[in-house]
Amino acid sequence: MESFLQAVKVVPLNHYILLSAIIFSIGVVGVLIRRNAIVVFMSVELMLNAVNLLLTVFSVYSNDPNGQVFVFFIMALAAAEIAIGLAIIVMIHRNTNSIDVDILNRLKW
């Protein structure tokens, strides 16, 4: 465990912040541009993983394990989101034969 913590500290903190910002930006662009519900879910997962990376790195650099514990809660939330979201997408696909998020406007009629 100590070798992992030392390996994380070899890379400067700014590089982790830049990598997380890039991953989060890719996720935001995916949510805003793509119309496929599966791709939107994957983009949300990218955003959550970018936050997880930052929480873990800040936790290691500050020698406080609270960030790593919080990452487990986020991972549990993401797993629940995917399970429920995929069930909803399967039902939408059965009813509309498409997973385009624009078709979801039909659900209000």
Side-chain angles (χ1 to χ4, degrees), residues 1-78:
M1 186 69 180
E2 287 297 322
S3 64
F4 171 73
L5 297 177
Q6 294 300 325
V8 168
K9 288 185 179 180
V10 169
V11 179
L13 184 60
N14 291 335
H15 291 105
Y16 288 113
I17 294 171
L18 180 64
L19 177 65
S20 294
I22 291 170
I23 293 172
F24 193 85
S25 299
I26 291 171
V28 168
V29 169
V31 167
L32 294 177
I33 291 178
R34 301 300 300 257
R35 299 289 96 198
N36 188 333
I38 301 292
V39 175
V40 170
F41 272 142
M42 291 183 347
S43 299
V44 169
E45 291 296 321
L46 275 178
M47 290 190 291
L48 289 174
N49 284 330
V51 171
N52 284 343
L53 176 64
L54 269 186
L55 283 171
T56 303
V57 169
F58 283 133
S59 173
V60 168
Y61 271 85
S62 64
N63 291 328
D64 184 14
N66 289 336
Q68 296 173 15
V69 172
F70 197 66
V71 166
F72 285 119
F73 288 115
I74 292 174
M75 291 170 69
L77 174 73

